[in-house]
């Protein structure tokens, strides 16, 4: 999907990131999260190809896993900023879920 954005800054702190939330149908036809991932937008002109490792949140107990499977509601992040921030995410149980490749053309 083409995205046209212009940024201007004198400080690279908090450089913009693209956060991906991928959804798809499960066995019962419910739309469930298939993966989350984030990547910093390159700032050097040219064509850049980035591979983003995707992950999904996991339930912490067997009862929660069974309940989420039975109801079709799997764990999701309510705020997409959690994916882009590092702090506080180390206590979240996640599972790797593939890769997404993104190409940037920076001018």
């Amino acid at each position: 999907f083409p995205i046209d954005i212009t940024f201007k800054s004198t400080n690279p702190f908090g450089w913009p990131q693209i956060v991906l939330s991928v959804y798809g149908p499960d066995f019962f036809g419910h739309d469930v999260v298939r993966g989350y991932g984030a990547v910093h937008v390159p700032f050097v002109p040219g064509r850049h190809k980035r591979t983003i490792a995707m992950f999904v949140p996991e339930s912490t107990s067997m009862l929660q896993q069974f309940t989420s499977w039975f109801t079709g509601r799997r764990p999701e992040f309510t705020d997409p900023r959690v994916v882009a921030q590092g702090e506080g995410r180390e206590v979240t149980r996640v599972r790797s879920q593939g890769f997404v490749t993104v190409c940037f053309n920076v001018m």
Side-chain angles (χ1 to χ4, degrees):
F1 302 102
I3 300 172
D4 186 11
I5 302 173
T6 303
F7 293 106
K8 182 178 179 183
S9 176
T10 57
N11 183 359
F13 178 76
W15 192 255
Q17 297 183 51
I18 291 184
V19 175
L20 299 176
S21 300
V22 179
Y23 290 83
D26 67 357
F27 181 74
F28 301 109
H30 300 110
D31 246 359
V32 295
V33 67
R34 294 293 184 188
Y36 294 107
V39 65
H40 285 278
V41 176
F43 59 89
V44 177
R47 182 174 174 85
H48 305 276
K49 186 176 179 182
R50 299 285 189 261
T51 301
I52 305 168
M54 304 298 283
F55 60 90
V56 291
E58 286 279 299
S59 297
T60 55
S61 72
M62 293 296 284
L63 178 62
Q64 287 176 334
Q65 288 176 359
F66 176 74
T67 305
S68 67
W69 176 84
F70 187 71
T71 61
R73 299 291 306 158
R74 296 189 181 161
E76 294 183 25
F77 292 126
T78 55
D79 186 4
R81 288 181 287 186
V82 172
V83 178
Q85 296 171 346
E87 70 182 61
R89 218 176 72 197
E90 67 273 359
V91 296
T92 306
R93 181 181 286 184
V94 296
R95 175 174 39 94
S96 295
Q97 191 72 15
F99 298 92
V100 171
T101 302
V102 179
C103 293
F104 295 98
N105 290 311
V106 178
M107 295 179 17

